[in-house]
Amino acid sequence: MKEEELPLFATIETDIHWAKGIIAQRCENLNDHQEDKVIEDFLMDNFPPEVREGTYYSQLLTSLSEAHHPDDPAWLSVAERLILALTLASHVCPALFEPFSYFQNQGIGVNRVGGIKSNGLFGFIPTAETALFLLAGENVTLRQQIIRRIFNNDHPLFRMGVISLHEVAHNLSRFHGALVLSDEYYSLLVEGRPFIPAFSQSFPAQCIDTHESWGDLVVGSQTRFALEEINIWLKEKKQMMDDDHVSRKIKKGYKALFYGPSGTGKTMAASLIGKEADVPVFRIDLSQVVSKYIGETEKNLAAVFDKAENRNWVLFFDEADALFGKRTKTSTANDRYANQEVSYLLQRVENFNGLVILSSNLKANMDSAFTRRFQSIIKFPVPNEILRKELFNRAFQGRYAVENTELMEKVAKKYELTGAEINNIFRYCAMMTLHYGHEKVTEQVFTDGVIKELRKKGKAI
């Protein structure tokens, strides 16, 4: 069994056990009304254990360490590990907090150990005050040091979205907020798999993938070469951003426009890019994003971008000209608000630190302010005769080969069909071949499939 398949037992259990020892020691002092041991010495005596390499947990700890300067004092790494262990324990080992529940029930240390007692929960939920009690005791100076250096939005634990503090009433200190582990890192650290959010009103996007390979994408050489540039960027972006000279001159994100008629491979190409880089691709449902009510479109878009920020995701806006279209002259209030939406989009796309792909049938429909900022503008034209023949040959193989290959070649030569339309023809032919029990696709079935597709285009064979 792979190590990642046991994320709890292989990586987290050691830190939970370590945190249990610290809690026991601090509660013993609290119960005996002893003076706190010098907190720096206490933490150094209880330095966290080593974790097994090659797991999501060890990778996270490495990322947190790399985010700090090498001259940071040792207690800072101890503090991070303990805060992370407390947050994780709420999900995987709530028994860790039983000593705190006991003291609270006895009325001891009520204002020191923090924690939340929910009406619907008999257990103890750790807060930032809980972590501060364990790390600093009554040492006000050290408490303030930890607050300044860890409990702020610039610290990697919060900046990377690993944990957050639950909002509290306005008359309470924010440190009374519960320590909350993000859904993404719960999936990674506890379940050992990447987090894929479900489609919802708050996140109107669906993860798309494909069983196809790059060899199945039949496009011209210029299109394929342009797509390879995006693949290279995804492979090298971390190294580029780690290079001070490069990161000072360019923005972190990458913007690409795919344009061309429907059915020419734009969605498939976006899916293959994600598959190549092993990152999820989310297609934004514009019907759930665009709203007639003022401010709602920006709010819906903010939910998408906020969710995707600092995550290794690809955002794919299909038929994007409905949302990213040209701004109009301001003659009415509606025009003004529509232009504000485009300006807002421009700002969010510009500042997004990942890959954004916009798809449109016509390049001319896109606002020029967007097109100037694209790193790649890739055309997906209707395939020419050579590519159409290749598409037909790839589809109609084996049992589903066409008996009259000359007829298939004539159709490929005469009619401008997209890859999606050729696939529709194949679907019909495969269905009818199975229905009639034919050994191959007959001339009549193939002709019927072509006629059916051409009629949808308003043409006749």
Side-chain angles (χ1 to χ4, degrees):
M1 182 174 288
K2 293 182 179 179
E3 194 171 14
E4 297 94 297
E5 295 177 4
L6 290 173
L8 170 60
F9 301 106
T11 63
I12 299 174
E13 191 176 33
T14 54
D15 273 22
I16 298 293
H17 183 73
W18 164 70
K20 184 177 181 179
I22 292 179
I23 291 174
Q25 180 66 51
R26 301 291 285 126
C27 287
E28 182 180 344
N29 292 346
L30 185 65
N31 189 41
D32 296 340
H33 303 285
Q34 298 176 6
E35 291 293 328
D36 288 331
K37 184 179 181 180
V38 177
I39 196 71
E40 292 91 337
D41 295 339
F42 172 75
L43 292 175
M44 289 302 295
D45 291 342
N46 291 275
F47 206 74
E50 293 185 4
V51 295
R52 193 175 303 180
E53 296 296 327
T55 61
Y56 287 123
Y57 191 62
S58 65
Q59 291 170 11
L60 173 60
L61 295 180
T62 300
S63 298
L64 293 171
S65 299
E66 290 176 350
H68 291 292
H69 299 293
D71 58 349
D72 279 340
W75 61 260
L76 185 60
S77 62
V78 174
E80 290 170 349
R81 290 280 290 275
L82 186 60
I83 292 169
L84 190 55
L86 293 176
T87 309
L88 283 164
S90 294
H91 298 275
V92 300
C93 187
L96 181 71
F97 307 113
E98 287 181 354
F100 290 144
S101 296
Y102 169 78
F103 282 115
Q104 281 195 333
N105 292 334
Q106 297 298 315
I108 302 172
V110 172
N111 295 323
R112 299 177 66 187
V113 302
I116 295 174
K117 297 281 287 186
S118 172
N119 291 333
L121 182 71
F122 292 104
F124 179 97
I125 301 174
T127 63
E129 286 289 353
T130 309
L132 290 169
F133 162 71
L134 294 173
L135 291 166
E138 296 183 3
N139 188 327
V140 177
T141 301
L142 184 55
R143 174 188 168 96
Q144 293 306 309
Q145 286 180 331
I146 295 173
I147 288 174
R148 286 196 303 269
R149 303 197 63 174
I150 296 183
F151 288 102
N152 64 79
N153 292 331
D154 291 330
H155 191 278
L157 275 172
F158 295 91
R159 189 179 70 242
M160 292 165 55
V162 182
I163 65 175
S164 61
L165 294 182
H166 195 275
E167 292 186 5
V168 296
H170 70 278
N171 59 331
L172 295 176
S173 164
R174 66 187 181 95
F175 303 114
H176 290 294
L179 295 168
V180 180
L181 182 67
S182 70
D183 291 336
E184 179 185 11
Y185 281 94
Y186 175 85
S187 292
L188 283 174
L189 301 178
V190 179
E191 298 179 348
R193 59 183 177 85
F195 170 65
I196 303 296
F199 182 91
S200 64
Q201 188 173 3
S202 62
F203 187 70
Q206 185 175 13
C207 187
I208 59 174
D209 56 15
T210 180
H211 297 295
E212 308 282 4
S213 65
W214 283 110
D216 298 311
L217 181 67
V218 179
V219 293
S221 56
Q222 289 186 343
T223 302
R224 188 170 294 278
F225 181 80
L227 291 172
E228 182 59 22
E229 180 184 324
I230 301 177
N231 289 333
I232 293 173
W233 179 82
L234 285 170
K235 291 176 183 176
E236 306 298 339
K237 66 173 184 176
K238 186 179 187 304
Q239 187 173 341
M240 290 172 64
M241 291 302 104
D242 289 342
D243 188 314
D244 291 338
H245 179 70
V246 176
S247 61
R248 286 200 306 267
K249 294 181 176 294
I250 66 173
K251 290 184 177 293
K252 292 182 178 181
Y254 193 101
K255 277 74 70 178
L257 171 66
F258 294 175
Y259 74 97
S262 298
T264 51
K266 299 186 292 294
T267 301
M268 182 178 177
S271 300
L272 288 170
I273 286 171
K275 184 177 182 179
E276 173 85 6
D278 193 24
V279 297
V281 179
F282 288 95
R283 178 166 55 193
I284 314 304
D285 186 345
L286 296 183
S287 67
Q288 297 291 322
V289 171
V290 179
S291 173
K292 64 181 180 180
Y293 298 106
I294 294 172
E296 282 298 308
T297 299
E298 291 93 328
K299 179 181 176 181
N300 295 335
L301 281 167
V304 173
F305 280 104
D306 290 346
K307 194 85 170 180
E309 198 71 43
N310 296 317
R311 290 177 169 88
N312 203 19
W313 295 350
V314 177
L315 297 183
F316 178 62
F317 290 86
D318 200 6
E319 299 181 359
D321 39 345
L323 194 58
F324 297 79
K326 291 183 176 180
R327 280 170 284 195
T328 59
K329 292 183 179 179
T330 304
S331 57
T332 66
N334 289 337
D335 293 336
R336 183 167 63 254
Y337 287 119
N339 289 343
Q340 286 179 3
E341 288 180 0
V342 176
S343 298
Y344 177 80
L345 281 167
L346 182 63
Q347 176 189 353
R348 292 308 301 255
V349 170
E350 180 77 7
N351 294 328
F352 184 64
N353 59 11
L355 172 60
V356 178
I357 299 175
L358 275 59
S359 172
S360 174
N361 290 342
L362 290 173
K363 176 185 174 184
N365 290 344
M366 302 299 296
D367 192 288
S368 60
F370 288 109
T371 57
R372 287 196 302 268
R373 289 168 169 82
F374 288 127
Q375 279 72 50
S376 291
I377 298 180
I378 304 175
K379 184 178 181 180
F380 286 76
V382 174
N384 58 27
E385 179 185 342
I386 295 175
L387 294 179
R388 290 197 295 271
K389 287 182 179 180
E390 184 177 349
L391 285 164
F392 272 112
N393 288 329
R394 283 175 177 270
F396 291 88
Q397 296 182 13
R399 178 180 179 180
Y400 303 105
V402 180
E403 288 180 340
N404 188 344
T405 56
E406 291 183 1
L407 174 61
M408 186 175 70
E409 291 180 358
K410 287 180 181 179
V411 171
K413 182 177 181 179
K414 184 176 181 180
Y415 299 104
E416 289 189 349
L417 295 164
T418 66
E421 290 167 341
I422 292 172
N423 196 51
N424 286 339
I425 295 172
F426 169 75
R427 181 183 290 108
Y428 173 84
C429 291
M431 178 180 66
M432 300 311 293
T433 298
L434 292 171
H435 177 67
Y436 291 121
H438 295 154
E439 294 182 0
K440 288 188 177 182
V441 177
T442 64
E443 182 176 332
Q444 183 62 51
V445 167
F446 180 76
T447 301
D448 291 344
V450 173
I451 292 174
K452 180 175 181 290
E453 195 62 28
L454 288 175
R455 283 176 175 169
K456 289 164 57 178
K457 295 165 63 74
K459 296 182 179 181
I461 191 168

